[in-house]
Amino acid sequence: MPLPSQSSLKAFRAALLDFVDDPFHMPISESVRYFPDGLLVIEDGKVKALGDYDRIHAHYPNVPVTRYSDKLILPGFIDLHLHFPQTEIIAAFGEQLLEWLNKYTFPAESKFKNREYAQTIAQFFIQELLRNGTTTAVVLATVHPESVDAFFEESNRLNLRMIAGKVMMDRNAPDFLTDTAASSYQESKQLIEKWHHHQRSLYAVTPRFAPTSTREQLQAAGELLREFPDIYLHTHLSENVDEVAWVKDLFPECDGYVDVYDRAGLVGDRSIFAHGVQLTEAEFQRLSEAGSAIAYCPTSNLFLGSGLFNLERVKSPSSPIKLGLATDVGGGTSFSMFQTAGAAYKIAQLRQQKLTSFQAMYLSTWGGARALSLEDQLGNFEPGKEADFIVVDFKSTPLMSLRNQAAIASLEDLADRLFSLVIMGDDRAIQATYILGELAYEKDSTLKKP
Ligand code: GUN
Ligand code: ZN
C-alpha cells in the first residue's frame, strides 16, 4: 500500500512539551523541554525542527502553520501493554486474575477465530487508541493467527507504529484456545515473516504467561528470539499472588517466576513484561541487569485486585528497570493514558511514594519509547523522529476550564496543569492525534479516514 503523501513542509504552533532525559533521575531543568509558544516543523512525516515560534518561523517563513491556541502539543502516547480482543469485556465484574481469565477472557478470545469479527474489533480498538492520543502500543492478539492479520492490516492501513503478536498457549486453557509448541512456533514464524518491519509494524513473540505454556513452548519462543534478533518478547509476569504460587507448582525446578522465562532465553533487552507486582528483589535485579522492560498497568492492578506496584524500586537509581505505562485493557479499565497515570499516582500515594506529572508524561512518551528501544525513532521531538503527536486541551470540561483558567507562567504552573490532566483528564482532553504529521483523529469532527 503506498504511504500517504507528506512531501511538503508544514508546521504546528502551540505550547510544546517533550522529554530529553528521565525526570525520575534528572532535574526538571535537564529532563523537560518546554516552549510556551512553540513551533514544530514537519517534513515527510518526520520532525524537521522545533523551538520558540519566533526563532523557528524566521527560518521557515513560508511554511503553512496550523495554530492550536491555548493547547499543548505532546509526543503521541505509548501504551506498553494491552489486549485488543478484550475490548468488549472491559469492566467485567467481580473476579481476580485466574477466575477472570476463565470466566470472561477465554470466552471473549474464542470469538477471534472469526476473521470478520477480529477485523471489526481491531478497527474499533485502533480508533479508541487514537481518540485517547495513543499512537504506539504493544498489543496481544489471540491464539488465532487471523487475529494478528486483522490487527496489522488495520494498523498498516493507518500507517501506525504498532507492536503485536499471536498468543502462544498450549496448556491450562480451553481446547478451543490452545495451540502446540510446534504449531505456535510455525505460526509465529510465518507472522514474523509477514509483518515484522512491514511498514511500521513490529512483531512480539507472545507466550501468554508461564502457566499456559509448557517448557517446550517457552523453548520454542526462545528459539524464535534467536532466529529473529530484533523482534520483541512480550508476556505477563508476577501479577497476582495465586498466579505466582501456581507457577511455583508448575515449574518446581525453577528459582522463581523470572527464572522460568530466563531458562527459556526469554529475558533480554527486548523483553516486555506486564505487571511485575509480586517480584522479589533478586528478580528486580535480574530484570535490571538484562535490560528488560516492565509495563506498569495500574488500573488493571487495582481492578483485578493484584496489588500495589513498587514504582520507587523499579526506578531506583542504583538498579533501575526500564518502565512504561500500560492500560492493560480489558483487565485495565480505560484506554486513556491520563486515567492510567492517575491510577499510578494514587497507588504511589498508598505506598508513601510520589509520581509527578512530568514523570507520568515521561513514562507515557519518551520513557515508553526507551523501554521499547525505539527512542531513536519516536517518543520526543528531536529532529528526524517520526512525527506522531497529540494536541492536548487543558480545558476539556467545565470543571477543568474553571481550574485551569490562569496562564501558565512557569514550569511549576505547567506541572500543575499537567497534574490536573493526570487526575481529571480522559479522551475529551485529546483535541487531535497526528500520525507522521497527518491528522488521524480530531475531536468534535467526524473521524478522518484515509
Ligand atoms: N495473565 C495472563 N493473561 C492475562 C490477561 O489476559 N490479562 C491480565 N491482566 N493478566 C494476564
Ligand atoms: Zn495483560
Side-chain angles (χ1 to χ4, degrees), residues 83 86 97 100-101 105 109 208-209 236 239 243 275 300 304 328 331:
H83 303 246
Q86 295 175 14
L97 175 64
W100 175 84
L101 284 174
T105 313
E109 293 191 7
R208 180 178 212 111
F209 68 155
H236 298 89
E239 174 176 1
E243 172 209 11
H275 301 286
S300 170
L304 294 175
D328 194 27

Side-chain angles (χ1 to χ4, degrees), residues 6-14 16 35 37-66 73 380-389 434 436-438:
Q6 301 132 0
S7 53
S8 54
L9 275 175
K10 58 174 90 165
F12 298 86
R13 181 176 182 182
L16 297 180
F35 301 101
D37 180 15
L39 191 69
L40 180 66
V41 183
I42 312 288
E43 185 176 45
D44 295 333
K46 299 212 164 139
V47 176
K48 177 81 175 165
L50 85 160
D52 287 321
Y53 174 81
D54 287 341
R55 194 174 65 82
I56 300 295
H57 193 250
H59 289 96
Y60 300 92
N62 299 319
V63 69
V65 177
T66 303
I73 290 182
N380 71 7
F381 294 136
E382 278 300 294
K385 298 271 172 87
E386 296 168 356
D388 294 346
F389 64 90
Y434 283 83
L436 296 178
E438 300 283 328

